[in-house]
Amino acid sequence: MLELEVVPERSLSNEYWEVVLGMTFSHVVQSIQQQINRIKNVQVLYNEKNPLKADLVIKMCEDGIQLRFDPVSQRLKIIEVNNLNKVKLKYCSIVFCSPEIPPTIEQIDHTFGATHPGEYDASHQLFILSFRGLSFSFPVDPRFQPNYTQGMESFHFPLGTSPTVAKMCIYSGNNLAETKPPSLPLSNFYNHCYLDKLEVLREKNKTVGVKLHLISEALGSNKLRELRKQTVTKVLSLGDTVQDVCSAIGSPNKVFYKADDKMKIHLPNSHKLITYSSSDYFYNFFTLGMDILFDARIHRVKKFILHTNYPGHYDFNIYLRCNLSIDINCTNKENKSETLTITTFTKWDSVKHKLIKLSVLPVVLNRTSTNTTNPFGSTFSFGFEDMIFEVMPNNHIASVTLYQKPIYSQETI
């Protein structure tokens, strides 16, 4: 049984493990994985068809805890304890929930002190007692009619039948129904840069680079004092050198060398393309939701790959979400020029008719590896100018690849 400290409007934690409001989904998963001997039977719940319509949830089945993430920002929004028989909880070192101490109304009042009168939810037959950033839900027999001005004290329970807490929620602000996830806690930056948003730079219907709006710890932050964050803007261009990239956004989280290129079969005269002993390589920036491909011969950027990190995709939770924006000049039905903006949250079926002729078929992409299978099925890649849009079966864009159109040599292999 986990023994956890409750910090209203902030966290649930113990000496080994902590979840803080505002943490990314990836950070929380990593923290759970590090406690594999203490935390078991964990499930991830999401809306497969409409992943932006419902919270992304981590359910800790054996501990009675649910962690709710905002589906857009993918940051922790609500910490729920919906089975208080499975955990031991304390506040300011005072235990208020354990096998020996049931979390009754009197116990909550003794531990947390006075607050405003609660609210009665008639549809669920619950009485909700709220503090700032913290609420407790008590099941109430409908035979007991509350006095809304007097709160919980207006209920008259038979001797020995005082209800216990059915659910506890930790959240930001005063209103659970309107709560939003706070920004990423500075204590979780771990000396990494994080992406606020990314703009794709285009000139004359041609991609030239990307502009990154980054968030990081402020230089000179004293970790013994309050941490500070800073925002910076960096521009990366197709054709930049490795040194250009590293000086702008730092070292990658990982470097990956391409063993082969299976998509080469779709290029004209692919059998005539020169092969080289060296291999192109990726710089993986997981916290930015981006990969950068470098040419093995000249060590310059030839591709940017931007990941939207939707649940139900093979690469989900490898990258943080890239909040991208692309402005594309296109022609509408009246043959008038217009600017079409595609973002991380744009559904493909709302824009594809403006970009691609209906006769153009996508490339079907099915990701697998030697040791794993892909339970999520295939995705579809659509090419437009110098961009490739990878689209999931639910019409959400999984990734966008930006590249320089190559000039092929006539030499044979």
Side-chain angles (χ1 to χ4, degrees):
M1 176 178 287
L2 294 178
E3 181 175 341
L4 301 166
E5 178 83 19
V6 174
V7 181
E9 208 174 16
R10 185 184 184 276
S11 65
L12 193 64
S13 64
N14 59 23
E15 59 182 315
Y16 307 107
W17 180 72
E18 179 181 48
V19 285
V20 182
L21 295 174
M23 288 177 69
T24 66
F25 182 88
S26 179
H27 283 148
V28 174
V29 169
Q30 290 175 22
S31 69
I32 292 175
Q33 289 174 333
Q34 291 170 0
Q35 301 299 316
I36 190 170
N37 293 327
R38 296 182 178 91
I39 301 174
K40 300 179 180 180
N41 192 7
V42 178
Q43 299 176 355
V44 176
L45 310 177
Y46 63 93
N47 188 322
E48 184 175 2
K49 293 185 178 179
N50 296 296
L52 297 175
K53 298 297 182 181
D55 289 343
L56 180 62
V57 178
I58 293 179
K59 184 176 182 180
M60 299 166 58
C61 302
E62 294 187 6
D63 304 292
I65 297 172
Q66 285 195 157
L67 306 174
R68 294 189 170 274
F69 297 79
D70 179 80
V72 175
S73 67
Q74 296 187 337
R75 295 197 307 272
L76 183 58
K77 181 174 69 172
I78 301 171
I79 302 171
E80 290 183 2
V81 182
N82 49 29
N83 190 337
L84 281 80
N85 295 321
K86 295 184 176 182
V87 289
K88 183 177 181 179
L89 301 175
K90 57 185 178 179
Y91 171 69
C92 294
S93 301
I94 299 174
V95 176
F96 66 91
C97 173
S98 72
E100 299 79 23
I101 305 174
T104 61
I105 299 167
E106 293 80 12
Q107 184 63 50
I108 298 301
D109 182 65
H110 171 73
T111 305
F112 293 90
T115 186
H116 299 291
E119 298 179 357
Y120 181 62
D121 182 351
S123 61
H124 296 91
Q125 298 177 10
L126 293 173
F127 189 88
I128 302 172
L129 194 62
S130 299
F131 301 81
R132 181 171 179 83
L134 182 69
S135 69
F136 297 93
S137 300
F138 299 86
V140 175
D141 193 310
R143 294 175 297 173
F144 304 117
Q145 295 299 320
N147 182 319
Y148 297 102
T149 62
Q150 297 181 24
M152 201 70 184
E153 290 74 16
S154 66
F155 289 93
H156 300 286
F157 302 102
L159 185 63
T161 61
S162 178
T164 59
V165 177
K167 182 170 70 174
M168 180 191 75
C169 295
I170 302 172
Y171 53 93
S172 178
N174 283 318
N175 191 327
L176 176 60
E178 299 177 359
T179 189
K180 295 181 180 179
S183 58
L184 178 68
L186 282 168
S187 58
N188 292 115
F189 269 58
Y190 307 120
N191 296 319
H192 291 300
C193 286
Y194 293 87
L195 183 67
D196 182 28
K197 61 180 179 179
L198 180 147
E199 302 171 43
V200 176
L201 304 178
R202 291 174 59 79
E203 295 178 0
K204 299 179 180 179
N205 298 330
K206 180 180 178 182
T207 301
V208 296
V210 293
K211 179 187 286 188
L212 299 95
H213 301 264
L214 304 172
I215 305 172
S216 68
E217 292 181 40
L219 294 175
S221 288
N222 188 338
K223 295 186 182 299
L224 298 178
R225 302 176 184 174
E226 183 179 357
L227 296 175
R228 295 180 295 111
K229 68 178 181 180
Q230 63 178 355
T231 57
V232 294
T233 301
K234 298 292 183 179
V235 174
L236 301 177
S237 302
L238 289 166
D240 277 356
T241 65
V242 174
Q243 292 84 353
D244 293 332
V245 172
C246 289
S247 63
I249 60 175
S251 301
N253 301 108
K254 187 177 180 180
V255 179
F256 175 78
Y257 291 87
K258 293 178 64 176
D260 57 10
D261 189 353
K262 295 179 180 179
M263 298 300 289
K264 195 185 332 183
I265 192 172
H266 297 286
L267 298 175
N269 299 320
S270 61
H271 62 286
K272 297 182 180 179
L273 298 181
I274 299 175
T275 58
Y276 300 94
S277 57
S278 55
S279 172
D280 290 349
Y281 53 95
F282 285 101
Y283 272 15
N284 306 124
F285 294 90
F286 300 131
T287 61
L288 305 182
M290 178 175 68
D291 296 323
I292 300 177
L293 178 65
F294 290 94
D295 186 280
R297 294 176 296 114
I298 59 176
H299 305 287
R300 291 182 178 271
V301 176
K302 59 190 296 187
K303 283 183 184 180
F304 296 104
I305 304 177
L306 314 177
H307 301 270
T308 60
N309 196 43
Y310 276 105
H313 186 264
Y314 185 75
D315 290 334
F316 176 65
N317 200 42
I318 295 177
Y319 304 85
L320 298 188
R321 171 165 285 169
C322 177
N323 187 15
L324 63 90
S325 176
I326 310 172
D327 290 334
I328 300 174
N329 294 323
C330 58
T331 304
N332 60 24
K333 294 180 180 179
E334 290 77 26
N335 287 325
K336 294 182 180 179
S337 178
E338 67 176 356
T339 300
L340 176 66
T341 300
I342 297 178
T343 72
T344 300
F345 313 108
T346 301
K347 298 201 74 170
W348 182 246
D349 56 1
S350 68
V351 298
K352 66 178 182 179
H353 63 281
K354 298 181 180 180
L355 301 179
I356 301 173
K357 296 180 181 179
L358 294 178
S359 60
V360 177
L361 297 177
V363 173
V364 180
L365 181 60
N366 186 24
R367 286 183 171 86
T368 57
S369 66
T370 304
N371 299 320
T372 62
T373 59
N374 181 1
F376 306 113
S378 302
T379 56
F380 307 93
S381 295
F382 295 86
F384 175 76
E385 294 180 351
D386 52 7
M387 296 176 285
I388 300 173
F389 296 89
E390 182 191 358
V391 182
M392 299 169 63
N394 60 11
N395 269 309
H396 282 283
I397 298 171
S399 69
V400 180
T401 299
L402 315 169
Y403 63 94
Q404 283 183 320
K405 292 184 178 179
I407 300 175
Y408 300 110
S409 171
Q410 296 299 317
E411 297 180 55
T412 57
I413 297 177

